[in-house]
Amino acid sequence: MNLQAAVNRKLEWLPVPWRVRAALSVGLSVANLIALLLVFLLLYLELVPLPDVADPGDLRRNNFILALVLVALLGLAGLFYAIRDVEPMVRLLESPERPTDEQRLKVLDAPLLFFVRQAVLWAISAACFGVYNAAADPELGLSVALVVALAGLSVSSVTYLVTERSFRPLAGTVLAYGLPERLGVRRVATRLIFAWALGTGIALFGIIVIGVSVLTDPQDATVRQLAITMVVLGAAALVVGSVTNVMAARASTDPILALRQGVANVRAGDFDTRVHIYDGTEIGVLQAGFNDMVTGLQERETIRELFGKHVGDDVARQALEGGVELGGEVREVAVLFVDIVGSTTLAEDLPPERVVGLLNRFFDVVIDVVHQYDGWINKFQGDAALAIWGAPTEVAERDSLVLAAARVMGRRLREEVPELSAGIGVSAGRAVAGNVGAAERYEYTVIGDPVNEAARLTDVAKTVPGGVVANAKLLLTAGGDEVHWWSRLEPVVVRGKTEATEVAAPRLNLPS
């Protein structure tokens, strides 16, 4: 597996599709050559006990010729089927089209497919060697067939791990489009089983077979042969087992660590974070699911921000935490209404882009001041805006804040948007606040006398210096030094009422 990683690093200059082809070809070729070398060492150097036969030289020569024939025939067959199966999968990396569920499942099942194919080819080889050598000695045929079968199982396990690693770019490509409908993906347990079988299980099975063989016919094996066999198989189990299990463990822990870092990033508020998908097991499915989840969280956060901009952060937070129900409640609120003077003439005299630019500058000031003094914009009505204090949540020093907001807003509008004139009316009292509309569409609003009075006081405000007027009863409930910034005016009868209303306006001759 270290060789496979080195091959991948050497091939980084190649385009990804060719890198997959090359890594798979080199990895499988090297694995099969090592298996053939293992068979040669075990049989021709007599590292395993074998029965004596007549004319062993001819038998070895004929076995060598048989090996060449099988490598040529079965090797070409394996190459043909590998190209036939791999090419359509690799082309997915070059195609702009979305892979189908069937194509995605083929990619995810590829390591198991290659394992089965290698196992079949080596099983055929083991049978051929066993039948040929059984003609000389049945026990020899069985021994040779077992050695070849163990080597084949070993290379088949390597094939699984090599294919899984080589196909990481493909697995990432298909999982990036979402999860297949049928989750027939590989298991982490399968990866670990193959790693154990390659590194430990095969060597242990070989030791057991040799032990049984010697117990059956103890005269066929010398102490030296048994010692050499134990050393070879034990060393193989120790070295190969350690390497393969470490690689299998890293193959699982690396993506888990990436997921852990991704979770930490999301917890810190980074909804742009994504993890690279390259694992074809359940971990890869988990990686794809994490990315889908973060995308959903990102969309939810965007909707929440847009929702908050439309209805105010307090209303948005209350709706998200407690749900939304049609209906309302009576609350004590303070209301600020601001209305532009001569907006109709403005729209007729100026081009549309100029009108929109002025309105944006105007409402930038309005929104900034309202938020600065802990209010929220309930609605925009063309050239007017309604701001609320006290609903849906209580606001400490509500009346002082609304008066300060009206006073500062009037000053800033005169200084920052001198092209427009506006009237600002302020009132307070009991009003109904809640969700009005239907189940399909509703709006959080405030209805009652304070809203009506604030809107009508804007008409009065347009006639006084500074353009700001408040119901004077707010001066009785406002705390702090805010009342010193205001002076009472003559009572006025606002539209819709028969009795005079005491009003107040900011003192323009005082610093603000």
Side-chain angles (χ1 to χ4, degrees):
M1 296 304 295
N2 286 332
L3 176 61
Q4 179 71 12
V7 169
N8 289 336
R9 287 194 296 270
K10 294 292 185 181
L11 298 174
E12 287 180 352
W13 60 274
L14 285 173
V16 175
W18 283 102
R19 195 184 309 165
V20 172
R21 294 184 181 101
L24 187 63
S25 301
V26 173
L28 296 186
S29 299
V30 171
N32 281 278
L33 289 175
I34 291 175
L36 290 172
L37 179 62
L38 179 63
V39 171
F40 175 79
L41 291 175
L42 292 176
L43 295 179
Y44 284 81
L45 298 183
E46 297 184 358
L47 296 182
V48 296
L50 294 174
D52 294 329
V53 294
D55 198 4
D58 288 342
L59 188 63
R60 289 179 181 178
R61 183 178 63 256
N62 293 337
N63 273 324
F64 181 75
I65 295 173
L66 178 62
L68 292 178
V69 172
L70 290 176
V71 166
L73 295 178
L74 298 181
L76 289 175
L79 179 63
F80 169 78
Y81 284 109
I83 294 175
R84 187 195 67 175
D85 292 333
V86 168
E87 282 305 307
M89 300 181 194
V90 173
R91 291 195 193 102
L92 294 176
L93 294 171
E94 304 170 318
S95 174
E97 297 181 1
R98 178 188 180 95
T100 64
D101 272 5
E102 182 180 358
Q103 291 172 322
R104 285 184 280 178
L105 288 171
K106 282 184 177 179
V107 170
L108 297 177
D109 291 337
L112 188 58
L113 172 66
F114 275 73
F115 166 79
V116 172
R117 182 167 296 142
Q118 285 282 352
V120 169
L121 293 176
W122 276 89
I124 295 173
S125 299
C128 291
F129 275 104
V131 170
Y132 175 75
N133 287 275
D137 187 288
E139 188 177 347
L140 176 64
L142 178 61
S143 299
V144 171
L146 281 175
V147 170
V148 175
L150 289 176
L153 182 59
S154 175
V155 76
S156 299
S157 299
V158 171
T159 297
Y160 181 93
L161 298 175
V162 167
T163 307
E164 185 181 56
R165 187 174 184 87
S166 300
F167 268 49
R168 279 185 173 183
L170 277 171
T173 297
V174 299
L175 288 174
Y177 287 96
L179 307 179
E181 292 294 331
R182 180 175 62 86
L183 295 179
V185 297
R186 303 191 304 277
R187 305 286 183 184
V188 175
T190 306
R191 173 191 292 162
L192 297 178
I193 288 172
F194 279 114
W196 175 86
L198 171 62
T200 305
I202 295 173
L204 291 177
F205 183 73
I207 292 174
I208 293 173
V209 169
I210 292 173
V212 172
S213 175
V214 172
L215 288 175
T216 303
D217 190 2
Q219 296 183 4
D220 281 344
T222 66
V223 174
R224 177 180 175 78
Q225 284 180 317
L226 288 177
I228 293 175
T229 302
M230 295 303 106
V231 170
V232 170
L233 294 179
L238 181 63
V239 176
V240 180
S242 300
V243 173
T244 55
N245 279 281
V246 168
M247 295 302 297
R250 287 190 58 186
S252 298
T253 57
D254 287 348
I256 290 175
L257 290 175
L259 279 171
R260 181 179 177 182
Q261 183 60 48
V263 170
N265 292 341
V266 172
R267 185 178 297 162
D270 180 11
F271 295 105
D272 292 325
T273 188
R274 297 293 186 275
V275 295
H276 177 58
I277 304 172
Y278 57 81
D279 195 287
T281 66
E282 303 104 326
I283 299 177
V285 175
L286 188 60
Q287 290 173 320
F290 174 84
N291 288 343
D292 291 342
M293 179 195 70
V294 175
T295 300
L297 290 175
Q298 191 175 43
E299 293 174 353
R300 181 179 182 273
E301 183 67 14
T302 301
I303 292 173
R304 189 195 68 78
E305 290 179 358
L306 291 174
F307 185 38
K309 290 178 181 179
H310 279 277
V311 303
D313 290 338
D314 290 335
V315 176
R317 189 179 304 109
Q318 185 183 61
L320 291 172
E321 293 177 355
V324 177
E325 295 182 2
L326 295 177
E329 58 180 338
V330 177
R331 300 189 70 93
E332 291 286 339
V333 298
V335 180
L336 182 152
F337 201 94
V338 55
D339 184 34
I340 296 175
V341 178
S343 59
T344 303
T345 304
L346 184 72
E348 293 175 352
D349 295 343
L350 296 177
E353 58 273 13
R354 173 66 172 159
V355 174
V356 172
L358 284 174
L359 290 177
N360 286 340
R361 287 171 53 202
F362 179 88
F363 286 120
D364 278 344
V365 174
V366 171
I367 294 170
D368 185 50
V369 172
V370 169
H371 289 171
Q372 179 183 352
Y373 289 94
D374 297 336
W376 66 279
I377 302 293
N378 178 247
K379 64 182 65 177
F380 294 100
Q381 296 178 342
D383 59 353
L386 172 65
I388 305 294
W389 281 256
T393 58
E394 295 288 345
V395 177
E397 300 182 357
R398 178 192 64 223
D399 295 344
S400 297
L401 290 172
V402 72
L403 288 174
R407 175 174 53 80
V408 173
M409 186 184 297
R411 174 181 58 80
R412 286 187 57 182
L413 288 174
R414 292 193 301 272
E415 295 174 353
E416 299 177 29
V417 197
E419 302 94 330
L420 297 178
S421 298
I424 301 173
V426 179
S427 183
R430 295 167 65 83
V432 175
N435 297 301
V436 177
E440 294 79 12
R441 184 176 179 85
Y442 45 80
E443 176 185 20
Y444 187 89
T445 190
V446 178
I447 303 170
D449 186 64
V451 179
N452 298 332
E453 185 176 70
R456 290 162 185 169
L457 285 176
T458 59
D459 294 332
V460 178
K462 294 172 184 179
T463 65
V464 303
V468 180
V469 168
N471 189 313
K473 66 182 180 182
L474 285 162
L475 302 179
L476 302 177
T477 54
D481 298 330
E482 183 59 32
V483 294
H484 299 300
W485 297 87
W486 295 76
S487 61
R488 292 177 179 269
L489 305 178
E490 291 292 328
V492 296
V493 179
V494 299
R495 178 168 48 88
K497 289 192 175 184
T498 56
E499 297 183 0
T501 301
E502 292 188 4
V503 295
R507 298 180 182 181
L508 300 180
N509 60 333
L510 293 177
S512 56

